[in-house]
Amino acid sequence: MTSFLGRYEYQFDERGRVSLPSAFRREAKNDRFVLIQWKEPSLSLFPKETWNETEERLLKFRRNQPESWGDVLGIVSNAVEVVPDKQGRILVPAWLQKAASLENSVLMVGNLDRIELWNPARFAQAMEDTQGDFEKYSNQIFG
């Protein structure tokens, strides 16, 4: 299983490219990813293998819930395949940068099976907003 851990802050270059942390590149099994905004305010970067599993769930959902056709179409129309260049940079399309309020810098956060791209200030606010509830569940995870 792929396991992305940690957080790294990088700057966009003039073309809208950003470096993937070397730790994340090593963890990925190949060099193909799918970048999508499925939940605001961040973007999710899925390794292709993980995305394939998500695609299977989307297909099953669409087949079992015919009224979800438009929802599934909206999700997949927001996805783009990205491949790191020789320097390990990926291109984040301008429309996805805008959707996630990414400007000069981006915080890349490992989230186990995926990487999330955050506006650093929005990430700090999200972490502040969610503090407190986890302690009552932490023993179930860490023992």
Side-chain angles (χ1 to χ4, degrees):
M1 177 181 155
T2 304
S3 183
F4 298 106
L5 304 172
R7 59 180 162 186
Y8 307 85
E9 190 167 343
Y10 286 96
Q11 301 295 314
F12 282 107
D13 71 8
E14 66 282 348
R15 291 181 165 174
R17 297 174 300 191
V18 65
S19 293
L20 278 177
S22 60
F24 291 170
R25 290 194 311 264
R26 280 192 308 270
E27 189 61 35
K29 301 222 183 329
N30 71 32
D31 61 353
R32 294 174 57 209
F33 294 87
V34 173
L35 181 64
I36 186 170
Q37 185 179 46
W38 67 275
K39 185 174 181 179
E40 292 183 13
S42 64
L43 304 178
S44 293
L45 185 65
F46 292 90
K48 188 63 173 149
E49 296 83 14
T50 304
W51 178 254
N52 290 342
E53 296 167 11
T54 303
E55 273 186 339
E56 288 176 22
R57 289 191 300 272
L58 283 166
L59 279 169
K60 184 176 180 181
F61 179 69
R62 190 181 68 191
R63 286 184 193 121
N64 293 333
Q65 307 284 334
E67 66 278 5
S68 72
W69 176 86
D71 295 320
V72 173
L73 183 61
I75 290 167
V76 297
S77 70
N78 281 316
V80 294
E81 187 172 291
V82 295
V83 177
D85 64 14
K86 292 178 182 177
Q87 287 77 39
R89 299 171 299 194
I90 59 167
L91 176 65
V92 179
W95 57 275
L96 280 174
Q97 289 181 42
K98 183 177 178 184
S101 300
L102 301 175
E103 294 174 1
N104 296 324
S105 63
V106 58
L107 187 65
M108 294 199 184
V109 181
N111 192 353
L112 303 175
D113 64 341
R114 67 196 70 173
I115 301 163
E116 295 186 4
L117 283 68
W118 283 82
N119 172 304
R122 285 186 145 188
F123 180 80
Q125 185 63 52
M127 293 299 96
E128 187 175 308
D129 292 347
T130 60
Q131 292 297 316
D133 293 339
F134 183 71
E135 186 152 339
K136 63 184 171 185
Y137 306 109
S138 61
N139 281 350
Q140 294 176 36
I141 296 169
F142 295 108

